[in-house]
Amino acid sequence: MEKNLNNDKKIIDLTYLIGLSKGDNGFVKKMITVFLEETPKEVDVLEESVNQTDYEVIKASAHKLKSTIPFIGLDKIIGKEVNEIESLARENSGIENIRASFKKIKESFELASAELEAFMLNN
Amino acid sequence: MKETSNIKENIGKIKVLIVEDNVLNQKMASFLLKGLGFNNDVCVNGKVALDKIKTTNYDVVLMDVQMPEMDGYEATRQIRNELKLHMPIIATIGNTSEEEIKKCLANGMTDVISKPLKGDELYAMINKHLFPENVSENVNGSELD
């Protein structure tokens, strides 16, 4: 059953959530609902701060994303970029690299959200 | 709850306060603790945690470090220095670098646990600090993974 739940996912990996849920599919869906509600706001804050080159907010918001992405296995896809953004912002530098990494982060979030929505419909 | 030194017999009486601003992390910690049998309350930053700790006896605090309004380091310092409380405060951290661990311990935290949390690690950590004389219980805790 766990394998079925986790099939055909290109970006997301629900192994961690499903493992912790001990078969409580309602919990997995609840966590995904919270993820879909909360993370777009976090990505928006990061985007705004990247557009404004506000290193303080970039740093804080990348840090927050870092603890959110492992829930759906997204750390394997964009963990490196999120870490890079946080490190660069801590040094108040590298806005061009931050922009490039953010582009990948945003694209991955969009794909992940679509996959999560499909998962919610199918389970 | 410390009359007998056995986590299994006391688990339902153990109250854990989760201090965490990230909603996903809050829900995860609460779900894991509930599944293991612990009681828990949730609050969103150090400031609210201090208010709750003033009115409720918590046996263990799970403390995030970076939070708005009041971070986990400051909240821990106040719990130790002003409220004079000595319950285990476990820092929940994403970055488990030596520097971060040292910083947590220097601010009065008892131990650190890495995020994302896992049930068996959480159980072992709480057991280790509430029932240090009975740490072999950790082995039993692992079945709750």
Side-chain angles (χ1 to χ4, degrees):
Chain A
M1 174 165 180
E2 291 187 6
K3 277 186 182 144
N4 290 338
L5 285 177
N6 215 8
N7 262 352
D8 304 323
K9 300 293 181 291
K10 294 191 183 72
I11 293 276
I12 62 171
D13 177 358
L14 300 177
T15 309
Y16 170 72
L17 264 188
I18 291 168
L20 286 183
S21 73
K22 297 192 194 296
D24 182 347
N25 199 19
F27 173 73
V28 175
K29 292 178 80 171
K30 190 168 113 189
M31 290 295 284
I32 290 173
T33 304
V34 175
F35 186 94
L36 288 169
E37 282 168 6
E38 296 296 319
T39 41
K41 290 185 254 173
E42 291 175 21
V43 176
D44 286 350
V45 171
L46 181 57
E47 181 164 37
E48 185 67 20
S49 61
V50 170
N51 287 341
Q52 299 187 351
T53 320
D54 183 339
Y55 288 115
E56 271 306 305
V57 180
I58 294 172
K59 185 178 70 181
S61 119
H63 185 83
K64 205 166 175 192
L65 276 183
K66 204 162 73 176
S67 74
T68 304
I69 56 178
F71 284 105
I72 58 160
L74 213 47
D75 51 326
K76 289 173 212 141
I77 310 286
I78 51 167
K80 192 170 114 304
E81 284 76 11
V82 176
N83 277 330
E84 189 193 15
I85 284 186
E86 191 189 4
S87 309
L88 287 169
R90 191 175 286 130
E91 305 292 322
N92 292 316
S93 67
I95 193 65
E96 287 312 316
N97 289 336
I98 288 176
R99 289 207 172 105
S101 290
F102 177 74
K103 190 164 175 275
K104 181 174 176 192
I105 290 170
K106 188 166 183 189
E107 284 165 4
S108 300
F109 264 106
E110 281 164 3
L111 289 171
S113 297
E115 287 180 13
L116 289 173
E117 273 157 20
F119 174 88
M120 294 296 280
L121 282 175
N122 296 328
N123 286 281
Chain B
M1 81 92 209
K2 286 185 181 167
E3 287 140 15
T4 55
S5 56
N6 183 315
I7 193 168
K8 278 191 180 164
E9 286 172 20
N10 292 286
I11 202 159
K13 297 179 218 158
I14 297 170
K15 264 186 107 84
V16 182
L17 180 63
I18 300 161
V19 191
E20 169 68 61
D21 66 321
N22 180 303
V23 187
L24 279 162
N25 284 328
Q26 282 172 6
K27 297 222 180 287
M28 177 56 73
S30 183
F31 176 81
L32 287 175
L33 287 167
K34 208 168 137 195
L36 291 164
F38 296 102
N39 280 306
N40 71 82
D41 284 337
V42 177
C43 63
V44 296
N45 62 45
K47 197 160 172 275
V48 184
L50 287 173
D51 290 340
K52 287 187 91 76
I53 288 168
K54 282 175 192 164
T55 57
T56 307
N57 288 323
Y58 290 101
D59 299 295
V60 180
V61 178
L62 291 183
M63 182 77 83
D64 185 21
V65 289
Q66 293 199 8
M67 291 176 288
E69 288 203 58
M70 186 190 289
D71 65 28
Y73 312 112
E74 174 63 24
T76 302
R77 285 199 300 273
Q78 291 200 26
I79 292 168
R80 300 303 192 213
N81 301 335
E82 288 169 32
L83 304 182
K84 311 277 183 206
L85 294 172
H86 304 286
M87 79 283 264
I89 301 177
I90 314 295
T92 55
I93 53 178
N95 159 23
T96 49
S97 66
E98 201 178 324
E99 189 192 351
E100 182 58 46
I101 294 169
K102 273 188 187 161
K103 189 174 176 188
C104 290
L105 299 179
N107 279 283
M109 286 148 172
T110 315
D111 211 332
V112 303
I113 191 164
S114 65
K115 286 193 280 199
L117 297 172
K118 294 185 182 67
D120 57 342
E121 290 174 9
L122 202 48
Y123 181 93
M125 181 64 76
I126 293 174
N127 186 39
K128 178 176 148 191
H129 292 291
L130 283 186
F131 303 97
E133 67 283 10
N134 201 8
V135 287
S136 63
E137 286 275 339
N138 290 354
V139 176
N140 297 331
S142 64
E143 79 199 21
L144 298 167
D145 179 20

